[in-house]
Amino acid sequence: MQSFYISNQNNANLIDFEKFLIKHNQKVDTNFDINFYYRNEITSSFYKNKNTIYYNLGCLIYNNKFNKEGLESIHNTLSNKNLKDILVSDNLRGQFCLFIIENNNVSIITDKLGYYGVYLYKKGKRIALSNSIVALAKNNDVTLNKIGVAQYLSENYKYLTYACCDQNIFSEITYLKPGHIYNFNSDT
């Protein structure tokens, strides 16, 4: 199991993932409060080269290389290709959420089919992201989205863990689209 929580504000009362997961304590120099949590050590999901840090949640395959080796291969490819070319290539596969952190910028890359769900909370100037809608709702001011609740109940009566539809149960929380690159910086 892996999880993350990123916010442009300090999360002193962040949901206690540490009861279940190990927090990765890599120092990241950004204006964001960035927290990654893993069931085991993250050596297979983390790669650092000078000032660039790569995290992978899920299963990332690039150039037939898995997780850490795939992250290193992405880093090496970025010297002559841009990130969008990598995303649309047939060389990138898997169910993943990729993070590239460099010079106070955070790039989040979602997998092509959206298998690894990522949620965005936005209200005023506050932004938070996580793969846990519960963590976002627990740590931020949210309101119930009646249409989202109706969609959820009408489509998920049998499998309550599956998220569907174009809305979710909170008005301030949206899904990140699959196969996209999202960039966040201190101006975001």
Side-chain angles (χ1 to χ4, degrees):
M1 180 175 179
Q2 304 165 325
S3 195
F4 76 94
Y5 192 98
I6 298 174
S7 177
N8 64 348
Q9 296 185 7
N10 190 338
N11 295 300
N13 60 349
L14 183 62
I15 187 171
D16 192 7
F17 284 118
E18 293 164 3
K19 289 180 182 176
F20 313 103
L21 303 170
I22 300 168
K23 182 176 180 181
H24 186 245
N25 291 318
Q26 174 69 37
K27 175 66 178 142
V28 179
D29 188 24
T30 71
N31 289 336
F32 296 93
D33 185 14
I34 300 177
N35 300 283
F36 291 96
Y37 301 90
Y38 296 84
R39 169 82 58 203
N40 300 311
E41 290 298 319
I42 68 153
T43 55
S44 67
S45 299
F46 170 76
Y47 176 73
K48 183 175 181 178
N49 186 293
K50 297 182 183 174
N51 295 327
T52 306
I53 298 172
Y54 299 82
Y55 283 97
N56 168 57
L57 299 179
C59 176
L60 179 136
I61 302 167
Y62 182 66
N63 285 338
N64 293 322
K65 296 177 182 171
F66 175 71
N67 285 349
K68 183 174 185 170
E69 289 77 20
L71 296 175
E72 185 175 2
S73 185
I74 287 173
H75 175 78
N76 294 335
T77 303
L78 283 173
S79 64
N80 58 18
K81 283 189 177 180
N82 67 39
L83 195 52
K84 186 174 181 180
D85 291 338
I86 292 172
L87 180 62
V88 300
S89 79
D90 291 336
N91 295 327
L92 182 64
R93 302 182 312 276
Q95 302 171 350
F96 63 87
C97 183
L98 170 62
F99 302 84
I100 302 175
I101 304 164
E102 181 176 39
N103 299 330
N104 209 19
N105 293 307
V106 178
S107 295
I108 299 175
I109 298 89
T110 55
D111 66 68
K112 295 174 188 176
L113 297 177
Y115 284 130
Y116 200 93
V118 179
Y119 302 96
L120 168 68
Y121 169 88
K122 188 170 183 181
K123 188 171 186 180
K125 292 185 177 188
R126 183 168 175 82
I127 293 174
L129 298 111
S130 182
N131 61 326
S132 170
I133 195 170
V134 173
L136 289 173
K138 231 177 166 178
N139 290 286
N140 296 286
D141 185 26
V142 294
T143 54
L144 204 56
N145 177 355
K146 293 177 183 175
I147 293 173
V149 170
Q151 285 181 347
Y152 183 81
L153 292 174
S154 68
E155 299 292 327
N156 294 307
Y157 63 91
K158 191 172 181 182
Y159 304 105
L160 291 177
T161 58
Y162 175 74
C164 75
C165 312
D166 65 335
Q167 296 187 39
N168 65 59
I169 61 175
F170 302 108
S171 297
E172 298 79 9
I173 299 175
T174 58
Y175 303 107
L176 293 189
K177 293 179 182 178
H180 278 70
I181 301 167
Y182 295 88
N183 294 301
F184 299 91
N185 57 43
S186 57
D187 298 329
T188 304

